[in-house]
Amino acid sequence: MKILWDLEMTLGYPGVTLSIVATDIDEAMLARAREGCFKPTSLRELPPHLVDQAFTREESLSCVKPAHRQGIDFLHQDLRIDAPQSRFDLILCRYLAFTYFSPALQRQVLDRLIDRLLLNGYLAIGTHERLPESSMLTSLADAPQILQKGSAAD
């Protein structure tokens, strides 16, 4: 996400900044994300020009250049009981809460995520996931896994 912003979006939106908060319960996954080094197969869906511009080769890995790691905070958190205190324009929550959690826990997590979304912000879930009912979220017509927060009166 940060690479796409840095290389594709900043010219069209000068002065607009992007910050990312990434959370995980697993310290090993957070360390791996902080390191930013991946097997080339992990990058197969990125356009080759982005890989060439944003990564360096280090042995058998492709590592994100330091400039594209700035503005990312990595937090050790358990989504079942906590979420960042910030408010967000976009939350990506794919293939965890709404796949593996019980319906009651899904409801709790969804309420917490909605609370962290700004009005008119978006929540993106995985393509095979379904959310508990919410009067605060509306699916986009062409992208049902992206939901927009409106007011309960909408």
Side-chain angles (χ1 to χ4, degrees):
M1 180 75 109
K2 180 75 167 69
I3 292 167
L4 291 171
W5 181 265
D6 290 348
L7 298 177
E8 300 286 322
M9 301 298 292
T10 54
L11 292 176
Y13 299 93
V16 178
T17 60
L18 173 73
S19 61
I20 296 174
V21 177
T23 66
D24 204 293
I25 191 173
D26 187 335
E27 284 286 359
M29 295 304 288
L30 286 170
R32 182 176 169 205
R34 279 186 200 101
E35 185 178 317
C37 293
F38 308 93
K39 293 180 181 178
T41 55
S42 297
L43 308 177
R44 67 182 174 272
E45 293 185 26
L46 279 178
H49 76 279
L50 291 181
V51 174
D52 292 342
Q53 291 177 334
F55 293 84
T56 58
R57 284 295 282 200
E58 296 182 19
E59 297 178 15
S60 63
L61 298 175
S62 295
C63 297
V64 178
K65 291 180 180 178
H68 304 302
R69 294 185 203 179
Q70 295 175 0
I72 303 175
D73 292 321
F74 297 93
L75 303 179
H76 180 250
Q77 287 188 327
D78 183 343
L79 182 61
R80 296 172 296 181
I81 57 174
D82 203 5
Q85 293 304 308
S86 302
R87 302 284 304 256
F88 299 94
D89 293 300
L90 173 65
I91 296 175
L92 307 175
C93 187
R94 297 177 58 228
Y95 304 117
L96 175 67
F98 307 110
T99 298
Y100 298 108
F101 293 176
S102 70
L105 186 53
Q106 286 182 18
R107 176 86 250 156
Q108 291 173 6
V109 169
L110 179 60
D111 289 345
R112 192 174 303 117
L113 294 177
I114 290 171
D115 184 57
R116 299 312 193 276
L117 267 180
L118 292 167
L119 186 62
N120 298 317
Y122 296 92
L123 170 64
I125 61 173
T127 56
H128 300 291
E129 293 180 303
R130 298 293 170 261
L131 293 179
E133 288 296 317
S134 171
S135 62
M136 297 291 291
L137 298 174
T138 304
S139 295
L140 299 185
D142 294 335
Q145 286 73 37
I146 301 175
L147 301 106
Q148 186 174 29
K149 179 180 177 178
S151 66
D154 286 347

